[in-house]
């Protein structure tokens, strides 16, 4: 997975994140947001664009409806945020997820489900106690 630890470092087998901390996941293919973003291919999300599309800041509860669900190591994880991010292209999604208690190791499976569609198999992050 394209994942950052809570301190902003890249999540990897040599740089695992602790259970209970937030990991930021980046992915594509999330489908439509509940707002109507521009249909321009390659539209870059700027602070002004986010404010115009979602005037309630922070983007709360989620710009996506329904919000995605996430499991880490087969255990449901709490999704803190799911939506676009400043500097990202339209079609890229940021998820801030709290790592649940459970499996720890260098390659723990992550499954994001959006609208009943799960991510591809083999996506992992590194976690530690």
């Amino acid at each position: 997975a394209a994942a950052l630890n809570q301190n902003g470092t890249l999540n990897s087998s040599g740089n695992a994140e602790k259970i209970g901390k937030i990991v930021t996941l980046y992915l594509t293919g999330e489908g439509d947001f509940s707002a109507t973003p521009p249909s321009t291919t390659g539209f870059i999300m700027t602070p002004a664009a986010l404010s115009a599309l979602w005037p309630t800041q922070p983007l709360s509860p989620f710009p996506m409806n329904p919000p995605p669900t996430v499991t880490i190591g087969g255990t449901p994880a709490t999704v803190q945020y799911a939506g676009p991010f400043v500097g990202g292209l339209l079609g890229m999604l940021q998820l801030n997820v709290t790592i649940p208690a459970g499996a720890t190791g260098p390659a723990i499976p992550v499954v994001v489900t959006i609208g009943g569609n799960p991510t591809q198999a083999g996506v992992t992050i590194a976690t530690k106690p």
Side-chain angles (χ1 to χ4, degrees), residues 54-87:
W54 294 280
T56 304
Q57 296 294 322
L59 304 178
S60 162
F62 299 111
M64 297 182 67
N65 188 18
T69 60
V70 178
T71 61
I72 299 176
T75 302
T78 301
V79 178
Q80 303 290 337
Y81 174 76
F85 58 97
V86 171

Side-chain angles (χ1 to χ4, degrees), residues 9-76:
T9 61
L10 185 64
N11 181 277
S12 66
S13 60
N15 191 31
E17 185 57 280
K18 291 182 178 181
I19 289 172
K21 297 285 188 170
I22 294 173
V23 66
T24 300
L25 307 172
Y26 295 96
L27 59 144
T28 61
E30 75 276 9
D32 292 332
F33 291 105
S34 59
T36 306
S39 60
T40 307
T41 300
F43 180 80
I44 297 176
M45 290 295 186
T46 63
L50 285 173
S51 292
L53 294 170
W54 294 280
T56 304
Q57 296 294 322
L59 304 178
S60 162
F62 299 111
M64 297 182 67
N65 188 18
T69 60
V70 178
T71 61
I72 299 176
T75 302

Side-chain angles (χ1 to χ4, degrees), residues 52-128:
L53 294 170
W54 294 280
T56 304
Q57 296 294 322
L59 304 178
S60 162
F62 299 111
M64 297 182 67
N65 188 18
T69 60
V70 178
T71 61
I72 299 176
T75 302
T78 301
V79 178
Q80 303 290 337
Y81 174 76
F85 58 97
V86 171
L89 296 173
L90 189 62
M92 294 179 70
L93 175 66
Q94 175 181 322
L95 295 173
N96 297 343
V97 181
T98 303
I99 300 173
T104 59
I108 302 302
V110 175
V111 177
V112 177
T113 303
I114 300 172
N117 300 301
T119 52
Q120 66 186 29
V123 176
T124 64
I125 61 169
T127 64
K128 62 185 177 184

